[in-house]
Amino acid sequence: MTAVQIKEEIQKALNDMPETALADVLNFLKQFQTHPFDQSTLDNNLKKIMSEDKGLLERLAK
């Protein structure tokens, strides 16, 4: 998947999220702009969040 495709998928997901969750997502993303991170750590943490909180994320997207 290309960067453009990933951004398009993120945009689709954001369009379906309730406004209250958007602030949390924005704060999460801003953390990565201000603090250097290890890509492998980010990948592992994101996979963990996606697998553990799949149900919550699906409910938030409704």
Side-chain angles (χ1 to χ4, degrees):
M1 191 176 280
T2 68
V4 172
Q5 290 170 320
I6 292 170
K7 289 178 182 181
E8 288 172 355
E9 289 299 315
I10 291 170
Q11 185 61 48
K12 288 177 190 176
L14 291 174
N15 288 338
D16 293 335
M17 293 188 81
E19 188 174 331
T20 54
L22 291 175
D24 292 334
V25 171
L26 178 59
N27 289 333
F28 177 77
L29 293 173
K30 282 186 174 184
Q31 287 178 357
F32 295 109
Q33 291 176 321
T34 58
H35 301 294
F37 60 92
D38 175 12
Q39 185 64 41
S40 63
T41 301
L42 173 62
D43 290 344
N44 289 336
N45 290 340
L46 204 49
K47 287 177 187 175
K48 183 177 179 182
I49 290 168
M50 297 300 284
S51 66
E52 290 179 355
D53 297 331
K54 183 178 180 187
L56 173 63
L57 292 170
E58 288 174 347
R59 288 192 306 274
L60 286 173
K62 288 183 180 179

